[in-house]
């Protein structure tokens, strides 16, 4: 890695570690205060089960725990695992529709966010929505 900001600084998919269990996350603090929390988008703090968001205070998760290896249009080697809560539900280029480099991921994230906000607002439950979409860089979702 050249550590060129935002381009080549990432954690590879084969990394065995993740964020230390001694680090106290906002999601863990808010859970103690009876908040409901959801992360939508990139996690990047470890993809092994013990590091996933549901084991770090979040109640719900939709997104990817890994980084994105290119080439982004290589349908023979899908590069983005997609999770819902603690289960991988598929990979892009295999289980999700993509046409000419554009997918439905951002729309799905928006629907998940709106549903989470509506549900918690109606029940007057305090909540945290941690929004980290992939749409800020290539590939464009």
């Amino acid at each position: 890695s050249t550590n060129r900001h935002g381009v080549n600084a990432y954690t590879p998919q084969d990394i065995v570690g993740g964020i230390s269990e001694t680090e106290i996350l906002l999601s863990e603090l808010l859970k103690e205060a009876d908040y409901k929390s959801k992360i939508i988008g990139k996690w990047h703090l470890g993809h092994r089960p013990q590091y996933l968001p549901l084991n770090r205070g979040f109640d719900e998760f939709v997104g990817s725990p890994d980084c994105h290896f290119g080439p982004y249009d290589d349908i023979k080697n899908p590069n983005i695992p997609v999770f819902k809560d603690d289960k991988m539900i598929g990979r892009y280029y295999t289980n999700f529709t993509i046409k000419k480099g554009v997918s439905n991921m951002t729309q799905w994230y928006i629907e998940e966010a709106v549903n989470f906000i509506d549900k918690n607002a109606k029940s007057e439950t305090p909540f945290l929505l941690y929004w980290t979409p992939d749409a800020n860089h290539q590939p464009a979702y």
Side-chain angles (χ1 to χ4, degrees), residues 76-125:
K76 294 180 182 174
N77 185 23
N79 59 2
I80 304 174
V82 179
F83 275 65
K84 182 147 176 97
D85 296 327
D86 62 347
K87 303 283 187 248
M88 190 174 97
I89 59 171
R91 288 184 180 270
Y92 266 99
Y93 299 106
T94 301
N95 308 102
F96 293 86
T97 304
I98 295 180
K99 295 179 182 178
K100 296 183 182 178
V102 178
S103 78
N104 62 348
M105 182 177 250
T106 299
Q107 186 60 42
W108 180 42
Y109 283 178
I110 291 168
E111 291 167 6
E112 287 281 335
V114 169
N115 290 338
F116 180 77
I117 292 167
D118 283 347
K119 175 179 70 177
N120 287 290
K122 285 176 184 169
S123 68
E124 298 184 3
T125 303

Side-chain angles (χ1 to χ4, degrees), residues 16-33:
V16 295
I19 190 166
S20 171
E21 292 180 10
T22 61
E23 292 289 335
I24 300 170
L25 304 183
L26 178 61
S27 53
E28 294 168 319
L29 293 173
L30 292 177
K31 189 174 215 56
E32 293 176 6

Side-chain angles (χ1 to χ4, degrees), residues 25-37 53-60 126 128:
L25 304 183
L26 178 61
S27 53
E28 294 168 319
L29 293 173
L30 292 177
K31 189 174 215 56
E32 293 176 6
D34 294 326
Y35 275 66
K36 294 298 179 189
S37 61
L54 270 58
N55 291 324
R56 296 309 310 264
F58 285 96
D59 297 302
E60 299 177 39
L128 165 70

Side-chain angles (χ1 to χ4, degrees), residues 1-11:
S1 174
T2 64
N3 287 323
R4 201 169 96 197
H5 181 68
V7 175
N8 198 19
Y10 59 82
T11 54

